[in-house]
Amino acid sequence: MHLLVISHDVVGQRMAGPGIRVWELARVLSFYAKVTLLAPQPIDLVAPDVRTDHFVMGNHASLTAYLRQADVILANGFLLESHPELAQAPQPLILDLYDPTLLENIELFRNAPLPERQERTRRDVELLNRQLAAGDLFLCATERQRDLYLGALMAAGRITPEESDSDPLLRSMIAVVPFGLPAIPPTRTGSGIRGVLTGIDRDDPVILWNSGLWDWLDPLTLIRAMPQVVDRVPNARLVFMAGKHPGGAAPMRLPDMARALASDLNLLDRHVFFYETWVPYTDRANFLLDSTIAVSLHRQHLEMAYAAIRSRVLDYLWAGLPAVLSNGDSAAALAREHGFALVIPPEDQEAIAQAIITLLTSDAKRNELAARARALAPQYTWEAVARPIIAFLSSIRAPKERAPDQRSTYDAEQPIRAAAPVIQRQTSHDHRNRALQTLDITWRLSELTSPAQGRLGKVRNFFLDRIVWPMLAPLIARQRDHNAAVNHAIYAMAEYQDHLSNELNRSMTAVRLLSQQTRDLAGHVVELEEAIQNLRSAIYGDPPPPPPMADIDSRSNDGAPQ
């Protein structure tokens, strides 16, 4: 099965959340389908079994060849604005709506003239309606988002008795696929914050803001809280990841406002620092591992209320990094449930200062939050969050024969083993079978022509029957025997090919099951190592003694057990 994945944002060494999402999903889904990933700019990343290329945004012709080859399409919903032709594609269409465009644009254009904002909202409503009419499977990031889109689907007439009869909760129509994180814990690959930013010493506690300074966030209240933090922790350092968006997103007002405020408070380059380069995706672990705590804050608005659990928050789980979060979004709800961060009211300067001081001055509290973060991380690996997409792909048997208006259904709770790979493309298999049928009809050679009528016809028949045919008959009979042998051999080869494909499918399914079990075991090993560390701390005091040299020698350069 050929899956075409299309990104509306840059995918490469330096990329933001949308690019990270499609790249990681493409890598996971390549175990279950033949994947081609397209982005608006050339992709400078390489992964086994993922073919990459680029297209021209808004140019239909640049997508045509790829659409013809695809059996299934997975695209960010925003693409339907520049490429409305995707809505007419006959293939099953998976639309990723994890980022509610209309709500984000309300914040993005909040300071624009009212007519411009009204026009943007009108276009976003039109885009949403186009998305709701076109998708076979919709992806969202949280249950709260799912409720939002269920209401929209109801208004669009997509929730029907027939749909509800086959799937009462409509998980086959709209599935929760959160942002994910790597299954392997982060390891240092180079320098991060320390030793790179002048003014941050080796022992200074670092408060990390590891996202862009988007206008819907709240770095200003954090900067205003820093004098109070510095009074209690004089060497505290706040670092903003403030590099320019790699995809050329619209300029934001907050970066300049944040720098100006830090300068006015005499904090700039003393206690507040701005890292001016967009950090490569593979290097972000170095910045996380250099940090003491992390902070992610926002104002109160609809984008916040319906946002995904943001990629930076999942990185806190990945790195076991204690955090301070604003209340009101899905990340805060997850933090309250699992206890990996301190949750404070939005735009509350006093609460921000006290939460940061608590974490910077209490090793025990930081260790507690870090342990809870690491324990939660395995639930959000990319392999885990992609399961609804894998189940959807496994439900499609002959994509090219599907009527354009036929909706595919699947069980979101279906075990991972049900998603057996399609070793051959269905279209190639159909071409082979049609060729065999044609060969079965045409291999038999008989008389050259049927008898002719009339006086001239009788002369012709006599000439063919008495002279030509007796000369050619032995040759034709020999050729017919040869054709029959070739035909039988090709049928035997086709049957053997089908047998091999079925055996390979079963073998690959077993391999994937073993791979999934191995990943689960790796997660348990991490938890066990953490429990052993805690036990050592309880016995020997804090910090625990270093592991024996044998343990160190048994690990590869990247820190993973060999």
Side-chain angles (χ1 to χ4, degrees):
M1 180 179 297
H2 189 169
L3 172 65
L4 177 63
V5 182
I6 313 176
S7 173
H8 73 294
D9 202 3
V10 170
V11 178
Q13 296 289 340
R14 289 178 167 85
M15 54 184 170
I20 295 170
R21 183 172 172 87
V22 295
W23 172 250
E24 294 291 357
L25 287 177
R27 292 176 63 185
V28 169
L29 297 175
S30 68
F31 288 99
Y32 306 91
K34 179 180 177 181
V35 173
T36 297
L37 172 60
L38 303 180
Q41 296 181 21
I43 298 172
D44 59 355
L45 293 172
V46 177
D49 302 319
V50 177
R51 177 191 175 194
T52 62
D53 208 336
H54 66 283
F55 68 102
V56 180
M57 186 71 80
N59 184 333
H60 170 60
S62 65
L63 285 179
T64 300
Y66 298 101
L67 293 175
R68 287 174 181 166
Q69 298 171 4
D71 295 318
V72 185
I73 302 168
L74 192 166
N76 186 284
F78 183 75
L79 278 162
L80 290 189
E81 181 172 68
S82 300
H83 290 273
E85 70 274 8
L86 291 175
Q88 306 303 321
Q91 298 94 332
L93 179 61
I94 306 171
L95 287 180
D96 192 357
L97 305 181
Y98 90 103
D99 187 4
T101 302
L102 188 153
L103 301 183
E104 181 176 292
N105 281 339
I106 286 177
E107 292 306 313
L108 184 61
F109 293 92
R110 183 171 291 279
N111 295 294
L114 182 59
E116 180 180 344
R117 298 176 65 198
Q118 292 172 332
E119 173 60 17
R120 180 67 260 179
T121 299
R122 183 195 66 78
R123 290 166 54 190
D124 288 340
V125 171
E126 181 181 286
L127 173 62
L128 178 60
N129 289 332
R130 188 180 304 155
Q131 293 166 345
L132 297 176
D136 292 277
L137 172 65
F138 300 98
L139 307 181
C140 61
T142 65
E143 289 293 337
R144 185 182 294 182
Q145 274 191 8
R146 189 171 185 275
D147 289 341
L148 176 72
Y149 287 124
L150 279 173
L153 288 165
M154 183 168 60
R158 287 294 302 272
I159 298 181
T160 65
E162 296 83 359
E163 294 282 0
S164 180
D165 287 347
S166 61
D167 179 16
L169 293 179
L170 298 183
R171 295 283 175 182
S172 62
M173 180 181 291
I174 178 164
V176 176
V177 177
F179 215 88
L181 50 84
I184 300 174
T187 56
R188 187 175 295 281
T189 60
S191 58
I193 297 170
R194 304 176 191 276
V196 174
L197 287 177
T198 303
I200 300 180
D201 293 332
R202 184 173 184 176
D203 296 327
D204 291 340
V206 172
I207 307 159
L208 180 66
W209 177 286
N210 65 321
S211 77
L213 290 169
W214 315 129
D215 283 355
W216 48 85
L217 301 178
D218 184 25
L220 302 183
T221 307
L222 173 58
I223 294 172
R224 294 189 186 101
M226 280 302 294
Q228 189 173 345
V229 172
V230 172
D231 284 344
R232 288 289 307 277
V233 187
N235 61 337
R237 303 291 188 261
L238 169 61
V239 177
F240 286 100
M241 310 293 279
K244 183 180 178 182
H245 189 285
M252 303 283 164
R253 300 168 63 247
L254 270 181
D256 291 340
M257 295 172 64
R259 288 181 181 87
L261 178 60
S263 179
D264 291 345
L265 295 175
N266 198 28
L267 297 171
L268 186 61
D269 295 333
R270 297 177 63 247
H271 294 283
V272 177
F273 299 80
F274 293 86
Y275 190 85
E276 304 291 356
T277 302
W278 194 273
V279 176
Y281 180 52
T282 54
D283 291 345
R284 74 194 192 284
N286 301 322
F287 290 76
L288 295 166
L289 294 174
D290 264 1
S291 302
T292 310
I293 65 171
V295 179
S296 180
L297 306 175
H298 54 247
R299 296 178 288 102
Q300 295 193 73
H301 45 71
L302 285 174
E303 192 279 340
M304 168 272 297
Y306 289 97
I309 299 174
R310 304 183 194 271
S311 57
R312 53 187 169 274
V313 175
L314 289 170
D315 274 350
Y316 306 158
L317 305 183
W318 184 50
L321 189 59
V324 178
L325 305 178
S326 294
N327 196 16
D329 64 359
S330 295
L334 189 71
R336 288 197 306 273
E337 180 180 358
H338 295 277
F340 64 84
L342 300 183
V343 178
I344 61 171
E347 303 178 73
D348 189 329
Q349 179 177 321
E350 178 66 23
I352 292 172
Q354 290 303 320
I356 292 174
I357 292 168
T358 296
L359 291 183
L360 293 184
T361 57
S362 174
D363 291 344
K365 191 63 177 178
R366 289 200 309 276
N367 292 338
E368 175 191 344
L369 269 57
R372 292 180 177 179
R374 293 191 189 97
L376 183 59
Q379 296 184 29
Y380 285 91
T381 63
W382 287 108
E383 291 85 353
V385 303
R387 288 180 181 231
I389 308 175
I390 297 167
F392 180 83
L393 295 178
S394 74
S395 72
I396 301 171
R397 299 306 177 200
K400 294 295 185 182
E401 299 175 1
R402 172 184 170 274
D405 61 345
Q406 178 184 348
R407 305 292 171 186
S408 300
T409 59
Y410 75 99
D411 180 1
E413 304 301 326
Q414 193 174 8
I416 198 77
R417 60 182 174 80
V422 180
I423 300 301
Q424 300 168 303
R425 288 188 58 189
Q426 185 68 34
T427 50
S428 298
H429 193 271
D430 291 343
H431 287 323
R432 185 204 71 179
N433 288 345
R434 284 195 292 270
L436 288 173
Q437 292 168 1
T438 302
L439 186 62
D440 196 43
I441 295 172
T442 58
W443 71 268
R444 298 178 181 87
L445 296 177
S446 56
E447 289 78 9
L448 296 178
T449 62
S450 58
Q453 303 296 322
R455 182 178 296 180
L456 292 178
K458 291 180 180 180
V459 174
R460 174 177 173 276
N461 294 339
F462 177 83
F463 179 78
L464 292 175
D465 293 341
R466 297 295 179 90
I467 300 174
V468 178
W469 180 249
M471 295 174 59
L472 295 181
L475 296 176
I476 292 175
R478 182 177 296 179
Q479 184 65 48
R480 186 169 55 203
D481 292 342
H482 173 76
N483 290 354
V486 170
N487 191 41
H488 294 156
I490 291 176
Y491 263 102
M493 291 172 61
E495 292 175 0
Y496 185 64
Q497 182 186 38
D498 288 344
H499 171 72
L500 287 180
S501 294
N502 291 335
E503 290 299 318
L504 187 54
N505 279 335
R506 283 192 284 268
S507 298
M508 290 298 292
T509 300
V511 168
R512 272 194 307 280
L513 277 172
L514 180 60
S515 177
Q516 181 65 42
Q517 292 168 355
T518 302
R519 286 191 292 268
D520 293 341
L521 181 59
H524 294 319
V525 169
V526 171
E527 294 176 6
L528 181 59
E529 288 178 346
E530 184 181 326
I532 292 173
Q533 273 194 332
N534 292 337
L535 184 58
R536 284 175 175 169
S537 297
I539 296 174
Y540 299 108
D542 196 17
M549 291 303 296
D551 290 347
I552 297 175
D553 292 340
S554 68
R555 293 179 175 270
S556 61
N557 291 336
D558 62 0
Q562 293 181 333

